[in-house]
């Protein structure tokens, strides 16, 4: 069953991937404009965040659009190819699933947040009024 679901999503990504990328490019929101000091503060906060994603994943696209809307400069890591980044996602978060937001606190402890809706809710809760 798990293999079937992975195959299904892989097929959807291959077929619909270019559409997802094109739609994202054409509909990318303008992004909030903050005064420089506020944007600098947000940029510093974003340094503790990393988005594990695939370029052609529609759920990742949804999160990236929200990042654009909120003007968040969050590092994006392509976790699709087998390799150290995908391995880091699997080891840290427990699943090779995207999107996943890695949130690192001041003590260096990381939380791995899965699910596009939860990630978007987290970003809005933290940055909408920033
Ligand atoms: N409900 C989840 C769905 C996420 C999802 O299914 N992601 C797919 C990529 S489109 C995935 O990571 N599949 C596992 C894989 O490709 O190995 C969300 O909204 O984030």
């Amino acid at each position: 069953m798990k293999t079937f679901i992975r195959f299904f999503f892989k097929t959807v990504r291959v077929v619909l991937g270019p559409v997802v990328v094109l739609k994202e490019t054409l509909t990318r929101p303008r992004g909030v404009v903050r005064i420089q000091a506020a944007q600098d503060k947000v940029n510093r906060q974003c340094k503790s965040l990393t988005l594990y994603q695939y370029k052609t994943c529609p759920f990742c696209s949804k999160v990236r659009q929200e990042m654009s809307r909120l003007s968040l400069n969050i590092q994006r890591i392509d976790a699709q190819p087998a390799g150290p980044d995908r391995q880091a996602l699997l080891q840290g978060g427990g699943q090779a699933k995207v999107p996943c937001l890695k949130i690192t606190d001041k003590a260096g402890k990381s939380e791995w947040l899965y699910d596009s809706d939860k990630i978007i809710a987290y970003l809005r809760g933290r940055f909408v009024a920033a």
Side-chain angles (χ1 to χ4, degrees):
M1 189 63 183
K2 214 172 165 187
T3 311
F4 173 77
I5 291 171
R6 289 192 69 173
F7 178 76
F8 172 77
F9 276 109
K10 198 170 180 181
T11 308
V12 169
R13 278 199 309 274
V14 169
V15 175
L16 294 182
V19 179
V20 170
V21 172
L22 183 67
K23 179 174 176 267
E24 183 176 334
T25 307
L26 296 177
T27 63
R28 183 166 296 131
R30 198 169 278 242
V32 296
V33 178
R34 301 182 178 89
I35 58 166
Q36 194 56 52
Q39 186 61 51
D40 289 347
K41 187 176 172 201
V42 166
N43 290 345
R44 281 195 298 278
Q45 291 180 337
C46 286
K47 289 212 166 91
S48 64
L49 303 174
T50 306
L51 182 72
Y52 284 78
Q53 47 127 46
Y54 301 165
K55 208 172 168 51
T56 55
C57 160
F59 305 102
C60 302
S61 174
K62 208 166 74 165
V63 173
R64 289 192 298 263
Q65 294 294 70
E66 191 61 24
M67 284 163 46
S68 295
R69 194 169 290 114
L70 294 171
S71 302
L72 303 176
N73 299 309
I74 296 173
Q75 184 192 12
R76 300 167 189 191
I77 290 186
D78 184 356
Q80 194 157 14
D85 290 331
R86 190 171 175 85
Q87 198 54 30
L89 172 64
L90 183 58
Q91 270 180 358
Q95 299 174 73
K97 191 171 183 184
V98 292
C100 179
L101 186 69
K102 181 184 175 192
I103 307 161
T104 305
D105 67 17
K106 285 187 180 133
K109 193 168 170 282
S110 294
E111 179 193 344
W112 299 74
L113 182 63
Y114 288 94
D115 193 275
S116 54
D117 288 339
K118 286 187 186 159
I119 295 171
I120 288 171
Y122 172 84
L123 295 176
R124 284 186 184 157
R126 186 166 173 187
F127 293 109
V128 107

